[in-house]
Amino acid sequence: MSFPLSFPLTALNKAQLVCVALVLLLASAVLSSLRHYPRAWRATETPVTFWAWRNQAPAAADVSAAIEQTKARAIFLRAGQIDIQDRKLRRIRSVTGPLPRSIDLHLVYNATRSLLAQLEQVNETALADTISASYLTDIALAERAGSRVIGLQVDIDVPTRLLGRYEKILGALRRRLPPQTKLSITGLPTWMESTELVRVLAQVDFWIPQLYGAEIPQRSDQLIPISSVRSVSRSVSQVRKLDKPFYAGLAAYSYTLLYGSSGSLVTLRGDMDPALIVSDRNLRLIDQRPFDSQQSATNGLLTSSEWRSIYRVTADGVIDDLALHAGDVLVVDQPSAESLRVAARAVRELAGEKLLGICVFRLAGVDDPATLTIAQVASALADRDSLANVDVKILSDTQNLSVNQTASTAWILKVKNTGTAGSTIGSVKVDLQTTPGTIEIRGPESLSSLEFLCDRGNETSQTNREPCSQRRANVIRFKPRILAPGQTVQAQLVMNPGSLRAIPVSVEMQTDTGQWYRERLEVAVEGSTKQ
């Protein structure tokens, strides 16, 4: 039996062959994408480090909290700045105070604006000499103090066009360091497109690309967050392709931008207390919104992004050494535990095998309200839901008694956010239910206000309460302007003597996740217990 060497294809045969070819092509593409898709890291296996970015060494308590709550392995501590004056290089603003001794340290040296402006003319060898001399001096001091310094990090925001010079600087620096030194650099998002970046990275052991702050909004009408999950995902995918060990640098700080009446940027501050801004009477809140949000049929607004608050300056004044003029616009960009959480998740899913861990900017301190608390950072990096929890207490206030008062009539109302979700501005309501005339609130802080209300009979809902006189009021509403995680606000109470031993309290606030927190408490004198 013989078969012809060729035969005509019918229209049906051709269609079948085209379908088979398309299926094979699609299958090949799917298999290829699966082959190159990185293994996702688990939250529990991802190492955590911090940048400490103040002139004062971090307090031992703050370091201990970071270690205990996040299992932090190292701190990248800014040890000073490299400056140039009259063509002479020198280190300035050395870190003060005792260095941490309970954790590995990488000493970081960054450049002043003067050095950055003259970087193209600076001698590479001289700059390497200045950095290495500063580092060798500092590690000698650290060793005598019992601190463990294991590396040097250079934080110079080199313009992308000068990366070739940066490669030479790092090469010269490497030759001047002890052999065991771990040399690293920070990296700007704008470097990712440069072909010279690979040669720069060849000079260091690892690097920390900053996955945030790629662009500062130069005008008040620009909506540019410090960080977003889209930008983090895009950048970390680019970093993975460079195949160099790295820590992913993520942002946990807020910044405040001052714009003139024309809308142009005047200055940027990364250390201002949002509570001071909220309570200033010369600032009027004109807008508050998340950068990204979605609507849920059951819970309303949901967001995992940073929040943007805009204030109009109504009169000249000064806030935290920042001079303001009437007509200026002040913009505050605040992260949340939830925004850090989604950024960390994107890193774990896309970073690949070269990921060394996550580095958070910056290490929180009890005196740094512009940064997420350690509890918030720990919750975010552990991939836990951001939750609110409000504690209410009524404590004896013996220091503010008048001659005719007794210890049973003067009290302090304290409201504290012990959760990891903060409140949106103006959404907090703390209602104390009482019989008319038994409680009076005096002296609420500037961060708070007070309302007297009459309840129409439904004690389970705050919506059934309407304003009335203090004499008739059976509900006193205490309204903190803001309640950030870890923050406490308070007011003075005067209670008439009687059998009153506990006060029903209802708390309501919208959190920075967009969800509502509602809780009913039975607050006893000197303490609080939840029903």
Side-chain angles (χ1 to χ4, degrees), residues 1-157:
M1 185 181 294
S2 62
F3 298 90
L5 296 178
S6 62
F7 54 90
L9 289 174
T10 66
L12 180 60
N13 296 141
K14 292 179 180 178
Q16 289 173 333
L17 287 175
V18 169
C19 290
V20 170
L22 289 174
V23 169
L24 291 174
L25 185 61
L26 179 60
S28 176
V30 170
L31 289 174
S32 177
S33 65
L34 290 175
R35 264 198 315 272
H36 293 90
Y37 199 78
R39 176 190 70 86
W41 289 66
R42 297 189 301 274
T44 53
E45 68 174 339
T46 308
V48 176
T49 63
F50 288 88
W51 271 302
W53 215 245
R54 305 172 75 179
N55 292 333
Q56 179 75 27
D62 295 333
V63 175
S64 296
I67 295 173
E68 178 182 352
Q69 296 188 45
T70 71
K71 305 298 186 291
R73 298 186 179 185
I75 291 177
F76 293 83
L77 188 148
R78 188 173 70 169
Q81 290 184 296
I82 308 301
D83 187 35
I84 185 169
Q85 295 294 334
D86 299 324
R87 298 185 180 182
K88 293 182 179 180
L89 291 161
R90 58 174 182 156
R91 188 263 294 271
I92 63 173
R93 299 190 183 96
S94 300
V95 65
T96 60
L99 300 184
R101 294 188 293 178
S102 55
I103 194 169
D104 290 340
L105 299 177
H106 297 256
L107 301 184
V108 187
Y109 302 87
N110 71 322
T112 63
R113 291 183 179 179
S114 177
L115 176 58
L116 287 174
Q118 303 178 59
L119 192 60
E120 197 163 6
Q121 291 79 40
V122 170
N123 181 276
E124 295 104 337
T125 301
L127 182 52
D129 284 338
T130 304
I131 296 173
S132 61
S134 301
Y135 175 71
L136 293 174
T137 298
D138 290 343
I139 60 173
L141 294 173
E143 287 175 357
R144 288 198 291 272
S147 299
R148 301 192 304 269
V149 177
I150 65 170
L152 182 157
Q153 182 169 95
V154 183
D155 175 47
I156 298 180
D157 294 341

Side-chain angles (χ1 to χ4, degrees), residues 346-365:
V347 167
R348 295 195 307 270
E349 291 176 350
L350 299 172
E353 295 301 321
K354 295 294 184 178
L355 180 69
L356 298 175
I358 288 173
C359 188
V360 178
F361 185 85
R362 55 196 180 243
L363 177 64

